[in-house]
Amino acid sequence: MANTETTLKTAMSSIEGTLGVALVDYTSGMALGTLGGGKDLDLAVAAAGNTDVVRAKVRTMEHLGLKDEIEDILITLGEQYHLIRLLKGRGNNGLFLYLALDKSRANLAMARHQLKKIEAELEV
């Protein structure tokens, strides 16, 4: 099982086109760990903002009476993909992995596949 730091390093190095990655607690909006980013991608701001996205989707599903779980949320920008993967499993409730990808270098299907594998190894 991998800890937060190892998980973030694995995501940065194994997912082609990764610009930044964060482990986020969506109950508080706080990033529990970040790697990458920069002046054009403030991961703390992204963590807080994407917390609002997750909360809105969870609320919408409740209002619709959907008895399903969110696997991931994709936000497609002109030059980037932003992928939010809600974590499942023991002790992971309220957490998500956030991945920002360079659209010109990333393979979205492979990124989703890799993120799922990385999630399975994470122990918080």
Side-chain angles (χ1 to χ4, degrees), residues 23 41 63 72 83 101-102:
L23 177 64
L41 179 62
H63 291 312
D72 58 39
L83 188 57
L101 299 163
D102 178 336

Side-chain angles (χ1 to χ4, degrees), residues 30-63:
M30 298 285 296
L32 303 178
T34 64
L35 192 60
K39 68 177 180 70
D40 294 330
L41 179 62
D42 184 328
L43 291 171
V45 171
N50 285 303
T51 292
D52 292 338
V53 171
V54 171
R55 288 177 183 161
K57 188 58 189 172
V58 168
R59 249 189 338 270
T60 301
M61 289 176 62
E62 288 171 358
H63 291 312

Side-chain angles (χ1 to χ4, degrees), residues 71-91:
E71 187 171 321
D72 58 39
I73 298 170
L74 171 65
I75 300 168
T76 304
L77 305 177
E79 297 180 4
Q80 296 177 359
Y81 293 121
H82 290 220
L83 188 57
I84 300 166
R85 179 159 184 93
L86 276 72
L87 302 184
K88 301 186 180 35
R90 190 181 80 245

Side-chain angles (χ1 to χ4, degrees), residues 15-42:
I15 300 175
E16 184 70 28
T18 299
L19 301 171
V21 62
L23 177 64
V24 183
D25 175 351
Y26 72 80
T27 57
S28 69
M30 298 285 296
L32 303 178
T34 64
L35 192 60
K39 68 177 180 70
D40 294 330
L41 179 62
D42 184 328

Side-chain angles (χ1 to χ4, degrees), residues 1-2 85 87 114-123:
M1 289 290 167
R85 179 159 184 93
L87 302 184
Q114 284 295 110
L115 206 52
K116 187 174 183 177
K117 281 178 49 179
I118 289 167
E119 172 197 2
E121 295 297 316
L122 175 63
E123 185 173 289

Side-chain angles (χ1 to χ4, degrees), residues 87-108:
L87 302 184
K88 301 186 180 35
R90 190 181 80 245
N92 291 337
N93 287 343
L95 301 179
F96 67 86
L97 281 167
Y98 165 71
L99 188 67
L101 299 163
D102 178 336
K103 201 171 174 183
S104 68
R105 297 185 302 128
N107 177 323
L108 186 56

